[in-house]
Structures are given as C-alpha cells and as structure tokens.
Amino acid sequence: QACTLEQANQSPRIRLGLDYVHGLSDIHQTRVTECRSDGPFSDLHDFCRRTRLPRRAIETLIRSGAMDSFGKGRRELLWELGGLIWNTELDLQIPVQSVDLPELSDLEQTLWEYELLGLTPGDHLMSYYRDRLEQRGILSSQELSTRQDGETVWVAGLVIVRQQPPSAKGFVFITLEDEEGL
C-alpha cells in the first residue's frame, strides 16, 4: 500500500502506493494487496474476480492509472468493466461489443490523476498552458527569479498554500507552483 522504489531500464522509479488513491478505502487497499500476493493480476477480469471490489472502487483504480499495466487504455478498461459481473456466485463475463474509443489526451489523463491522486506522475498541469501563458507575457517561476524587487509581473500556477494570518491586516499570501517550481 505504500510507495516502493523499483528499477526500470537502469533508472530507479517510484511506484505510488494505493494509499495515494483518493476514495479507495483501507479495506479495499488491503484486499488488493492480499489478492496480489497470490500473483500478479493477468487482466481486468482476473482482478475483479479475485478482489471482488465494488465497481466504483475499480473505476477509481482504472481512472488513476493503477491498471495501465494491462496494456489497454483507461477508457477501454472502463468500457470492459461494464460487461463484467463478479460479485455473484456465477462470476460471469458477458461479451461486450467492442467500440473504438479515443485514447485519453495527456491533459485529460493529468486531470484524472490530480483528481484521484492529488498529483500526477507525468507532466505538470501548467506545462499544458505554458505556450499560451508566454504569449500573454505571464512569467514562469524560473523567469520570475530574474526580475527586480518592486517590478510588476504577471504569474500563473496551481495554488499550493493560501495563508491569511490575523497579523497580516487582511492580506492573503498565496504560494503558486508551476512546472519549474514554486
């Protein structure tokens, strides 16, 4: 359930733990971990059959990227999930008519990851808007560090911290993050 360090193509990578997936209960995390100890899951049907998690929890795992290793797109896996019935004694896999679903755009995938993980292992959200921001003269955090004190600038980023201490006389302090830093 915790993060692990793995070797991949000569470089270490961090595998995010299930506890990062918002909306996935401790009970569901434990169930996945216990079932995975019997061996890796071969596909979505195998995962559903072995874990017997509720459909909503499985949708969350698919959308967060936890099942990307099955070699199918996230939309395709969600569609496939619609044809599975695993919480009954019958354990049926109803044939689902194949459809040609578009792959998630990089931005859509990043938004799903922010929603479900609170972070993204890929590109920072602001990187998708950088070209438009530059066209409007809006500085990145790295460019901001080259400006003089007192100079008026425009910046954009994700709000990371918002503070309004009582001693600040009504002022609000905001920390922004972009793809280059704070």
Side-chain angles (χ1 to χ4, degrees):
Q1 294 170 351
C3 297
T4 56
L5 187 62
E6 299 180 351
Q7 278 301 119
N9 300 331
Q10 305 292 357
S11 61
R13 296 186 179 193
I14 296 174
R15 179 183 294 265
L16 295 176
L18 292 173
D19 53 350
Y20 271 85
V21 181
H22 299 198
L24 190 65
S25 72
D26 291 342
I27 294 168
H28 295 152
Q29 292 175 37
T30 301
R31 183 80 183 130
V32 170
T33 304
E34 288 172 352
C35 292
R36 189 174 50 205
S37 69
D38 294 335
F41 301 107
S42 60
D43 57 20
L44 181 61
H45 181 250
D46 180 45
F47 178 88
C48 294
R49 182 183 50 77
R50 286 169 50 192
T51 63
R52 304 241 183 240
L53 292 180
R55 185 173 302 274
R56 189 75 179 142
I58 297 169
E59 287 172 0
T60 297
L61 287 167
I62 291 170
R63 291 181 63 228
S64 70
M67 298 190 183
D68 287 355
S69 64
F70 292 152
K72 296 181 179 179
R74 295 179 192 181
R75 283 192 174 119
E76 187 178 351
L77 286 169
L78 289 169
W79 182 261
E80 185 179 319
L81 181 62
L84 299 178
I85 300 172
W86 65 93
N87 283 332
T88 68
E89 297 297 319
L90 299 176
D91 191 24
L92 299 174
Q93 186 171 5
I94 300 169
V96 177
Q97 184 168 354
S98 178
V99 294
D100 187 21
L101 298 169
E103 289 292 319
L104 286 176
S105 70
D106 291 340
L107 177 58
E108 288 173 312
Q109 181 172 316
T110 297
L111 290 171
W112 278 10
E113 289 168 351
Y114 268 115
E115 173 192 347
L116 298 166
L117 302 173
L119 56 86
T120 180
D123 292 331
H124 192 281
L125 183 60
M126 293 304 296
S127 67
Y128 298 104
Y129 302 101
R130 183 54 52 204
D131 289 341
R132 281 187 274 167
L133 294 170
E134 284 177 358
Q135 289 171 3
R136 298 184 67 193
I138 297 173
L139 304 177
S140 70
S141 59
Q142 192 170 32
E143 293 169 322
L144 181 62
S145 66
T146 66
R147 301 307 168 122
Q148 299 296 315
D149 286 346
E151 188 177 344
T152 301
V153 297
W154 287 87
V155 295
L158 296 178
V159 176
I160 302 303
V161 178
R162 181 183 176 275
Q163 298 172 317
Q164 190 172 9
S167 61
K169 300 179 184 166
F171 285 95
V172 176
F173 300 93
I174 298 174
T175 301
L176 299 177
E177 177 188 65
D178 67 11
E179 67 277 23
E180 296 174 349
L182 300 176

